[in-house]
Amino acid sequence: MRIGVLGTGMVGRTIGSKLIELGHQVRMGSRDADNEDAHAWASGAGNPATTGDFADAAGFGEVVFNCTAGMHSVDALDAAGADNLDGKVLIDVANSLDSSTGRPPTLGIVNTESLGERIQAAHPEARVVKTLNTVNCEVMVDPAIVPGDHVVFVCGNDDAAKAEVKGLLGEFGWPEERMIDLGDISQARGPEMYLPLWLRLMGPLDTIRFNIALRMAPPG
Ligand SMILES: NC(=O)c1ccc[n+]([C@@H]2O[C@H](COP(=O)([O-])OP(=O)(O)OC[C@H]3O[C@@H](n4cnc5c(N)ncnc54)[C@H](OP(=O)(O)O)[C@@H]3O)[C@@H](O)[C@H]2O)c1
């Protein structure tokens, strides 16, 4: 499949490399088509890896990943262009982390809204699916590095888009029974508001490779 990855940071590069390993063609997008990180990534990743600006990458992809800094994701998607996103599955893994008042960062979009919803509202032509934002990027593409039956959340308004995304999550190694479908895109609030806890668990756990599992009492 042709996949556009918007974002040249650790997440874009990690997801891009995994997609190439899985046999997909990937174009990484940036504000600047000459972004050095993107070029370095592509030269290490081989022939199926190309680079461009956000519009090039979105236009190339049959599916598009949003791996941009959450407070700037709408700007990045505006630059990608509505025509290039029209009808496409847009997988949003971003968080609205805001470090402008220091660390740890706070959430810039929160409580009665979420980044996933804001992106869907700004780009109604795209079929936004929020997922993977609750784990570090190494875990996103290789969940088996964390033992146990930990989970990933999925939400979005379009059931066919969610099914397509679950297929890709399966390629990354997530078993279907550990993909928790929360419902429509407004459900992105929960997984996004988990981030403050995630950021505070890093210290006591002394790792970024962790995730949560769900346990239910037997019925009755
Ligand atoms: N790090 C993780 O493991 C992890 C886990 C879960 C979720 N996330 C989320 O995944 C996303 C990517 O994280 P990251 O650490 O790889 O990268 P990042 O540093 O958060 O974001 C880098 C990307 O954001 C773009 N960007 C920055 N400012 C921009 C602006 N003003 N307008 C348009 N685009 C702008 C950059 O564009 P250029 O390429 O032009 O510089 C770059 O492509 C974030 O939302 C993060 O919260 C990260």
Side-chain angles (χ1 to χ4, degrees):
M1 189 189 289
R2 290 192 318 276
I3 302 183
V5 172
L6 309 185
T8 56
M10 186 194 309
V11 178
R13 298 194 309 267
T14 302
I15 288 178
S17 296
K18 181 67 175 194
L19 291 167
I20 298 276
E21 188 188 311
L22 290 167
H24 298 287
Q25 294 171 268
V26 176
R27 182 163 299 168
M28 180 175 285
S30 170
R31 282 170 288 188
D32 174 3
D34 291 325
N35 181 286
E36 282 180 16
D37 290 339
H39 281 299
W41 167 81
S43 49
N47 280 340
T50 54
T51 61
D53 61 20
F54 286 134
D56 293 328
F60 173 84
E62 297 162 86
V63 165
V64 178
F65 275 86
N66 173 39
C67 308
T68 60
M71 293 309 289
H72 302 291
S73 289
V74 171
D75 291 338
L77 291 162
D78 288 350
D83 288 351
N84 291 320
L85 295 169
D86 194 14
K88 294 184 182 172
V89 175
L90 174 59
I91 306 175
D92 174 32
V93 309
N95 287 302
S96 66
L97 299 182
D98 178 359
S99 300
S100 61
T101 54
R103 298 200 69 80
T106 54
L107 292 176
I109 304 169
V110 71
N111 289 329
T112 54
E113 203 191 359
S114 61
L115 177 59
E117 288 166 278
R118 191 172 287 193
I119 288 172
Q120 183 65 86
H123 286 280
E125 74 285 353
R127 299 146 75 207
V128 179
V129 177
K130 184 97 203 183
T131 191
L132 291 172
N133 67 302
T134 51
V135 288
N136 169 263
C137 55
E138 292 176 53
V139 180
M140 290 181 189
V141 300
D142 189 6
I145 61 174
V146 176
D149 55 357
H150 54 96
V151 299
V152 65
F153 302 103
V154 179
C155 64
N157 296 343
D158 186 311
D159 286 341
K162 285 195 282 191
E164 208 170 316
V165 173
K166 287 175 189 173
L168 273 175
L169 292 177
E171 290 186 47
F172 286 174
W174 291 94
E176 192 161 359
E177 67 276 11
R178 292 207 254 128
M179 302 174 197
I180 309 296
D181 189 334
L182 295 171
D184 69 19
I185 195 65
S186 71
Q187 303 302 330
R189 294 175 198 182
E192 291 184 17
M193 286 194 283
Y194 162 70
L195 256 289
L197 176 59
W198 189 96
L199 290 164
R200 283 159 181 83
L201 284 168
M202 268 194 310
L205 297 179
D206 196 24
T207 180
I208 51 176
R209 296 160 137 211
F210 64 87
N211 194 15
I212 51 175
L214 303 178
R215 296 281 179 273
M216 280 78 74

